């Protein structure tokens, strides 16, 4: 893919924004439901993020690049006491998730449809209990590694918004990205890897419902690592 000037309007999003034409219902969801659930980054973030949600929540969890949204919908449905913020710039994925939110009458999800770095910079310091980065775009070619979402600067962002003891959970099926993330977190003073034995990173996170990309990885014969880092 050739990159042209202006093709990259955001700092950390390099993917496609649109896929197949949307069905009428999906387009209607984007037009009418998304504005009700979308974070308004023009206004300052509330000092207490629980104010973003219509019903009381006790924890805040951020999912970056939710794709098909299976994971976030599952977690939000099983845990109404957590407020979820989901970020996904790919329009078709956002439309799919909105359909699920409506069908399942889910009330504890708020959304943003552009580069997650914008949300990270908007969120107050020490305001988030957990960040999920599940199967981020792997950028396997070395010349593209600098596009990976895990970077020194984004770990600084994670460190700022996570509460002390908050978690950064990362899953990937790409060995070079798993090693990349381990090295970046090892070199970052704010993060400690919680694993004590191999089973800790080979076993999916508790209650894991899997994701679409994970299913694809399995079909193609790749296994995964599940890394949990604690904000020191
Ligand atoms: C490989 S897919 C994984 C999707 C999903 N988490 C899963 O496991 O099925 C990576 C997703 O991250 C999204 N993404 C990439 N860069 C992003 C960014 N800067 N901010 C938010 N989402 C991003 C892409 O649009 C894509 O949907």
């Amino acid at each position: 893919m050739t990159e042209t000037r202006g093709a990259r309007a955001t700092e950390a999003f390099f993917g496609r924004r649109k896929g197949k034409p949307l069905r009428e219902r999906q387009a209607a969801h984007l037009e009418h439901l998304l504005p009700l659930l979308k974070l308004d980054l023009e206004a300052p973030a509330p000092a207490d993020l629980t104010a973003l949600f219509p019903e009381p929540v006790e924890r805040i969890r951020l999912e970056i690049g939710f794709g098909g949204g299976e994971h976030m919908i599952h977690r939000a449905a099983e845990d109404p006491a957590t407020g979820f913020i989901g970020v996904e710039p790919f329009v078709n994925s956002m439309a799919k998730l909105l359909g699920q939110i409506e069908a399942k009458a889910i009330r504890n999800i708020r959304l943003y449809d552009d580069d997650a770095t914008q949300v990270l910079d908007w969120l107050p310091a020490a305001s988030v209990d957990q960040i999920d980065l599940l199967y981020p775009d792997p950028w396997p070619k070395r010349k593209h590694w600098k596009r990976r979402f895990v970077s020194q600067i984004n770990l600084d962002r994670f460190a700022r918004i996570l509460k002390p003891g908050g978690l950064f959970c990362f899953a990937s099926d790409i060995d070079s990205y798993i090693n990349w993330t381990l090295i970046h977190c090892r070199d970052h003073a704010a993060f400690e890897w919680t694993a004590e034995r191999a089973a800790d990173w080979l076993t999916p996170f508790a209650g894991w419902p899997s994701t679409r990309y994970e299913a694809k990885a399995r079909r193609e014969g790749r296994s995964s690592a599940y890394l949990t880092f604690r904000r020191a």
Side-chain angles (χ1 to χ4, degrees), residues 16 69 86 91 123 137 152 162 189:
R16 286 191 307 159
V91 173
L123 289 166
D137 290 328
Q152 166 76 38
L162 277 173

Side-chain angles (χ1 to χ4, degrees), residues 89-135:
F90 187 57
V91 173
N92 301 65
S93 292
M94 182 60 85
K96 184 174 172 211
L97 182 93
L98 289 166
Q100 288 289 301
I101 288 179
E102 187 185 64
K104 300 196 161 135
I106 290 190
R107 290 171 56 78
N108 53 333
I109 292 182
R110 289 293 173 268
L111 297 166
Y112 191 66
D113 58 351
D114 207 326
D115 184 355
T117 60
Q118 297 167 7
V119 176
L120 293 169
D121 290 342
W122 178 81
L123 289 166
S127 62
V128 169
D129 294 273
Q130 183 165 332
I131 298 172
D132 294 304
L133 184 62
L134 309 173
Y135 296 92

Side-chain angles (χ1 to χ4, degrees), residues 10-16 63-70 87-90 93 114-117 134-138 149 211-214:
T10 57
E11 182 179 324
F13 180 64
F14 302 90
R16 286 191 307 159
E63 183 165 334
I64 295 174
F66 58 72
E70 312 81 15
V87 189
E88 177 53 67
F90 187 57
S93 292
D114 207 326
D115 184 355
T117 60
L134 309 173
Y135 296 92
D137 290 328
F149 199 86
T211 74
R212 202 148 53 96
Y213 272 78
E214 179 166 87

Side-chain angles (χ1 to χ4, degrees), residues 71-211:
H71 177 262
M72 191 169 59
I73 288 284
H74 176 92
R75 298 291 192 191
E78 74 175 8
D79 184 8
T82 294
F84 289 78
I85 298 174
V87 189
E88 177 53 67
F90 187 57
V91 173
N92 301 65
S93 292
M94 182 60 85
K96 184 174 172 211
L97 182 93
L98 289 166
Q100 288 289 301
I101 288 179
E102 187 185 64
K104 300 196 161 135
I106 290 190
R107 290 171 56 78
N108 53 333
I109 292 182
R110 289 293 173 268
L111 297 166
Y112 191 66
D113 58 351
D114 207 326
D115 184 355
T117 60
Q118 297 167 7
V119 176
L120 293 169
D121 290 342
W122 178 81
L123 289 166
S127 62
V128 169
D129 294 273
Q130 183 165 332
I131 298 172
D132 294 304
L133 184 62
L134 309 173
Y135 296 92
D137 290 328
W139 299 111
K141 289 187 192 148
R142 184 179 285 265
K143 68 176 178 186
H144 288 146
W145 284 1
K146 57 184 179 299
R147 296 181 173 189
R148 288 175 166 172
F149 199 86
V150 174
S151 64
Q152 166 76 38
I153 183 169
N154 282 340
L155 289 180
D156 288 346
R157 287 176 159 123
F158 287 4
R160 189 186 71 81
I161 65 158
L162 277 173
K163 296 178 185 172
L167 300 179
F168 161 39
C169 295
F170 171 95
S172 179
D173 56 318
I174 303 298
D175 288 346
S176 74
Y177 202 173
I178 296 162
N179 290 335
W180 168 277
T181 299
L182 285 170
I183 289 166
H184 275 78
C185 288
R186 182 200 64 196
D187 292 346
H188 197 294
F191 291 98
E192 56 193 34
W193 189 22
T194 60
E196 284 169 7
R197 53 188 80 81
D200 293 338
W201 52 271
L202 294 172
T203 309
F205 305 118
W208 176 244
S210 194
T211 74

